[in-house]
Amino acid sequence: MKILIVDDFSTMRRIVKNLLRDLGFTNTQEADDGTTALPMLQNGDFDFLVTDWNMPGMTGLDLLKHVREDERLKTLPVLMVTAEAKRDQIVAAAQAGVNGYVVKPFTAAVLKEKIDKIFERVEG
Amino acid sequence: MVDVNLDNKDNQVGSEIRSLAENMLEQLEQGDIGKAVALVNDLNQLRDRTLYNEIGRLTRALHESIKNLNVDTVGAASDITETTDKLTYVLEMTDKSANRTMDIADAGGPLAGAMGDRAAELSARWKRFMKREMNTSEFRELSRDIDEYLSSSVKDSSEIKKQFSEIVLAQDFQDLTGQVIHKVINLIRDVEGRLVTLVSMAGQVDQITGINHEFEQSTPAPDSGPDINPEGPQTDSKADGVVSSQDDVDDLLSSLGF
């Protein structure tokens, strides 16, 4: 399982990376915004994308839209981990095709639950 | 668009205008058009004089207050540069502290994990001994391992204890950044107060000269569908349209068929 973690704050990337490692996902890579992440996704065989929303360059929502438009990437499971907490925003992310939505600050248990749920649905 | 309304501002000017106007009406009633027209000119002059006086007075006041703002913002300008530095400092401090804490957790976690694993393994062997399922040479080996474990756990647990106090120390950023943020808040409050004075002064100039600004009507943004901008963390979780917990997010998503 190869996972790409996208967040402009290195601390948050590290937290997510550590939590994923504790959940048994050790093959992770990092990017600091959508502009860097998109070519990585297009050129690498990632199985899962964890992205923040509010980032300079390309936002997580735009990254999600690009992923859904890309013929090869459109089925990639995407989990949004973000401080954006408005109902309109969550609805917009859902409409853009997000697979899970976690609001910051979050706990390891919540992250695990959402990831499990996404893979249950993808595999099932 | 400029129109002039002088009468409501200054009582003295008002009564002067009134007496001129009444005088003018009188002249008209008496059929003296020439005098009436002359009075219209007087009215015009009065308007101009009052207008220029008021504008002059307010311009001076405005100038003074801009100057004041400048004098203090010479300080504030360097303060503001300093503020940017201060906020950069906050960013660096929080970053350093977060990474230091995570470094310690990364080091301490495996240590505690290994201690637990070793204890579990020894405990299983100890149970076998208690059930008398162990021969002498195995027991001798067990004793040696237990002895080794006890001394290494003394060392490891004191290491973990040290790491805990380092984690506590790493929280000093809260105090340090808090003080800096307080200073920044005070500066912003100060500048805000001065700007408010300036704006109200400018408003008075508008009132006296009768200038009406035509503000652009803020039209509601067209419904751009899912094109929604990020706003960063919501500081008021009770505000309209803001979810207050992950449970709310889950409820909302499940209502959308997730």
Side-chain angles (χ1 to χ4, degrees), chain A residues 61-72:
Chain A
L61 188 69
D62 287 341
L63 176 63
L64 172 64
K65 287 176 182 170
H66 276 99
V67 164
R68 291 294 174 250
E69 277 165 14
D70 189 304
E71 204 45 48
R72 277 182 55 239

Side-chain angles (χ1 to χ4, degrees), chain A residues 83-103:
Chain A
E84 305 301 327
K86 281 190 144 175
R87 303 180 75 85
D88 295 351
Q89 293 173 318
I90 299 162
V91 171
Q95 282 167 350
V98 83
N99 299 83
Y101 198 102
V102 173
V103 280

Side-chain angles (χ1 to χ4, degrees), chain A residues 14 84-85 87 98 101 103 114, chain B residues 103 231-232 241 243 246 250:
Chain A
R14 192 171 166 185
E84 305 301 327
R87 303 180 75 85
V98 83
Y101 198 102
V103 280
K114 300 306 160 204
Chain B
D103 281 340
E231 300 177 14
V243 297
Q246 182 66 39
D250 295 348

